[in-house]
């Protein structure tokens, strides 16, 4: 297996092609057995560089804002050269787009909680809300959200354009609400609107207080209480009487 490289070595092969990167990755030689699983893969090192650059951009944008953010500082934070940053990203706009994409991908895990037509609605909805509450405890998710919100305040056109590119993808809660409505178990004329109401209930406890007031993440007991009461409130409004 390839030993983990310290961050300072990520730029050791600056400007090299993918084949050279693999050869230079310690422990990954042509004589090594064919790697599997988490072993050396053709994109491993370059992916790690890209990850480090995006992480550095998140920290830089949070600290200085998009307009003042500096590509030299981003390179220094990532412990790579400026040339390597530009090998991966054409500029700050491309970096910001990568941050938006990562934020969206973090919400896509909710899609794993698929609607089950033969299971009680409340049980499913509570599990879905608890999944979202758990996601909102993640520090990286909160940091990503802060970057996007700050940029939306200062330059709304840029943030709106980035989000518009993701507009064709539906968040997991909307997918679930739409499926339950299509099955006739929710009386919902506009699933996207109903999903927005549901998410507003959740974020009022587990997102905005952390983003705007710096409150700590909710504890397990609070998460369970909020998930149960939010599900009950939503289902009293939209579920068929037999599904409440």
């Amino acid at each position: 297996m390839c030993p983990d490289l310290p961050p300072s070595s990520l730029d050791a092969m600056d400007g090299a092609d993918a084949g050279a990167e693999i050869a230079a990755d310690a422990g990954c030689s042509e004589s090594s057995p064919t790697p599997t699983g988490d072993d050396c893969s053709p994109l491993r090192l370059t992916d790690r560089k890209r990850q480090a650059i995006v992480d550095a951009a998140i920290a830089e944008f949070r600290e200085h804002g998009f307009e003042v953010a500096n590509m030299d500082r981003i390179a220094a934070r990532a412990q790579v050269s400026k040339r390597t940053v530009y090998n991966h990203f054409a500029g700050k706009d491309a970096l910001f787009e990568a941050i938006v994409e990562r934020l969206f991908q973090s919400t896509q895990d909710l899609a794993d909680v698929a609607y089950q037509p033969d299971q009680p609605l409340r049980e499913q909805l509570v599990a879905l809300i608890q999944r979202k509450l758990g996601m909102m405890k993640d520090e990286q998710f909160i940091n990503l959200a802060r970057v996007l919100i700050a940029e939306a305040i200062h330059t709304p056109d840029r943030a709106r354009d980035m989000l518009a590119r993701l507009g064709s993808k539906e968040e997991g809660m909307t997918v679930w609400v739409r499926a339950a409505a299509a099955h006739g178990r929710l009386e919902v004329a506009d699933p996207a609107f109903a999903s927005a109401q549901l998410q507003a209930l959740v974020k009022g406890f587990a997102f905005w207080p952390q983003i705007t007031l710096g409150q700590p993440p909710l504890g397990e007991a609070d998460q369970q209480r909020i998930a149960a009461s939010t599900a009950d409130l939503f289902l009293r409004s939209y579920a068929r009487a037999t599904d409440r």
Side-chain angles (χ1 to χ4, degrees):
M1 293 182 65
C2 296
D4 286 336
L5 300 177
S8 59
S9 66
L10 287 178
D11 208 34
M13 292 79 69
D14 184 24
D17 61 19
E21 287 184 346
I22 299 170
D25 200 352
C28 297
S29 65
E30 291 183 0
S31 61
S32 300
T34 301
T36 58
D38 292 332
D39 289 354
C40 310
S41 62
L43 296 178
R44 182 183 183 202
L45 184 58
T46 193
D47 283 349
R48 291 173 65 195
K49 286 184 180 182
R50 184 182 179 89
Q51 174 81 30
I53 293 166
V54 174
D55 289 342
I58 292 169
E60 177 72 10
F61 290 165
R62 272 203 65 191
E63 184 174 339
H64 298 286
F66 182 89
E67 294 300 333
V68 181
N70 181 282
M71 295 294 271
D72 288 313
R73 285 198 300 263
I74 290 172
R77 287 177 186 268
Q79 297 187 333
V80 300
S81 71
K82 189 175 179 180
R83 174 184 175 184
T84 294
V85 174
Y86 280 110
N87 282 343
H88 287 271
F89 300 98
K92 290 193 293 184
D93 282 319
L95 273 166
F96 185 73
E97 186 170 357
I99 291 170
V100 173
E101 179 65 27
R102 185 188 287 186
L103 179 63
F104 185 83
Q105 288 300 323
S106 70
T107 70
Q108 286 303 93
D109 288 343
L110 293 175
D112 294 340
V113 186
Y115 168 72
Q116 302 293 328
D118 58 344
Q119 296 296 319
L121 280 185
R122 185 180 187 278
E123 178 181 304
Q124 295 184 60
L125 188 53
V126 168
L128 183 63
I129 294 171
Q130 287 181 324
R131 187 81 168 265
K132 192 170 188 73
L133 289 169
M135 177 188 72
M136 290 179 180
K137 288 180 63 176
D138 183 75
E139 183 177 356
Q140 184 180 78
F141 175 83
I142 294 297
N143 286 338
L144 288 167
R146 285 186 175 125
V147 170
L148 180 57
I149 291 167
E151 188 58 22
I153 292 171
H154 292 107
T155 51
D157 288 344
R158 179 182 291 110
R160 185 164 51 246
D161 289 344
M162 296 292 184
L163 291 173
R165 299 181 196 181
L166 303 174
S168 61
K169 306 175 185 178
E170 286 195 324
E171 198 265 350
M173 277 191 172
T174 306
V175 172
W176 187 91
V177 171
R178 190 180 298 281
H183 194 238
R185 298 177 72 188
L186 291 179
E187 298 174 350
V188 175
D190 186 345
F193 179 81
S195 174
Q197 289 181 314
L198 179 58
Q199 295 194 62
L201 290 170
V202 174
K203 289 180 178 179
F205 288 99
F207 181 76
W208 293 116
Q210 287 74 32
I211 291 288
T212 60
L213 302 177
Q215 291 186 6
L218 296 172
E220 188 66 29
D222 285 333
Q223 287 188 55
Q224 292 176 0
R225 181 165 62 95
I226 290 167
S229 61
T230 301
D232 290 338
L233 184 60
F234 183 82
L235 294 176
R236 279 198 296 269
S237 295
Y238 290 112
R240 293 183 314 182
T242 55
D243 280 310
R244 293 174 187 169

